[in-house]
Amino acid sequence: RNIRLDGLTARVADGQVSFDGRIGMDGYAPADLALTATARSMRLRYPEGVRSEVDADLSLTGRVTAPVLAGMVNVQNALWTTKFDTGGNLFDFGGGSGAGTPVVAAAAPSSTMPPVRLDVRVIAPGTLRIENNDAHIVSSADMTFRGTYERPIVFGRAEISRGEFIFEGRRYLVTRGTLDFTNPVRVEPTFDIAAETQVRVPG
């Protein structure tokens, strides 16, 4: 009737993960889930271009046909080193996507993957960094991921604590900055950034 996990451990992405809980059975097929996972110091390369180290406390519950992934992810550090497209916009994190295109492209649905629904909070207390050809930025974030695994939606805010970037050949110092994720349809942040620079005037 059940498969029970009691202190099952594994190495995932160079981190230690422990699993507990149970899988309810209907005959020989899994029917419902009540699983928890505790992960420490996992080193991820997701999304593309980002290297991060995270701790996570997650649960996977509900029917196998429509499970819910919930919990908390704490970002110990995350570094984005991918260079911006010189032909695009400094804040076009979608890699040159056109107007109206989601900033984060959804993964292609898998025929064998159930529609996992998300309710995951991600906290990064000053541990997000951008270090590339155009920007050196340190920021923090408190965001919640909803929607499904194939089509995630992000709510919350990221704040720039300090940084500088080059725009049209001029170096700017960021004095304040926020990115708000409020669109319930797509991952599309609203920017509010103030920066200053020095301008040389002839004479």
Side-chain angles (χ1 to χ4, degrees):
R1 295 182 181 181
N2 293 281
I3 296 175
R4 293 191 175 274
L5 306 182
D6 185 10
L8 175 67
T9 60
R11 296 287 294 179
V12 180
D14 293 329
Q16 185 76 16
V17 184
S18 61
F19 300 91
D20 288 282
R22 70 171 188 85
I23 303 172
M25 306 295 290
D26 182 6
Y28 292 103
D32 59 88
L33 305 169
L35 301 173
T36 62
T38 302
R40 296 294 178 263
S41 302
M42 287 199 306
R43 297 178 180 177
L44 307 178
R45 290 184 177 271
Y46 180 85
E48 184 178 355
V50 177
R51 292 177 298 162
S52 62
E53 182 175 330
V54 305
D55 296 339
D57 294 280
L58 301 172
S59 65
L60 187 64
T61 59
R63 301 293 294 177
V64 169
T65 54
V68 177
L69 180 66
M72 179 87 69
V73 175
N74 287 286
V75 180
Q76 302 303 318
N77 62 74
L79 178 63
W80 182 342
T81 57
T82 301
K83 293 184 177 181
F84 295 125
D85 182 1
T86 55
N89 188 295
L90 176 64
F91 301 113
D92 181 8
F93 294 111
S97 58
T101 303
V103 174
V104 177
S110 170
S111 59
T112 59
M113 171 70 75
V116 179
R117 288 184 293 132
L118 302 176
D119 187 12
V120 178
R121 185 181 180 189
V122 177
I123 297 178
T127 55
L128 302 179
R129 291 181 295 137
I130 298 176
E131 298 283 347
N132 60 24
N133 59 320
D134 287 327
H136 301 274
I137 293 174
V138 178
S139 62
S140 59
D142 187 346
M143 296 182 289
T144 299
F145 286 77
R146 301 273 172 80
T148 65
Y149 180 81
E150 291 84 6
R151 296 185 178 277
I153 297 297
V154 182
F155 297 95
R157 165 174 284 199
E159 296 185 354
I160 298 175
S161 54
R162 64 182 185 275
E164 59 182 31
F165 62 89
I166 297 174
F167 183 65
E168 295 186 348
R170 197 179 303 280
R171 185 177 300 275
Y172 287 81
L173 179 67
V174 178
T175 56
R176 64 173 176 83
T178 59
L179 287 74
D180 288 301
F181 295 81
T182 58
N183 193 326
V185 179
R186 60 178 51 180
V187 181
E188 192 174 60
T190 300
F191 294 89
D192 182 6
I193 296 175
E196 60 184 26
T197 189
Q198 292 186 342
V199 180
R200 293 185 179 274
V201 180

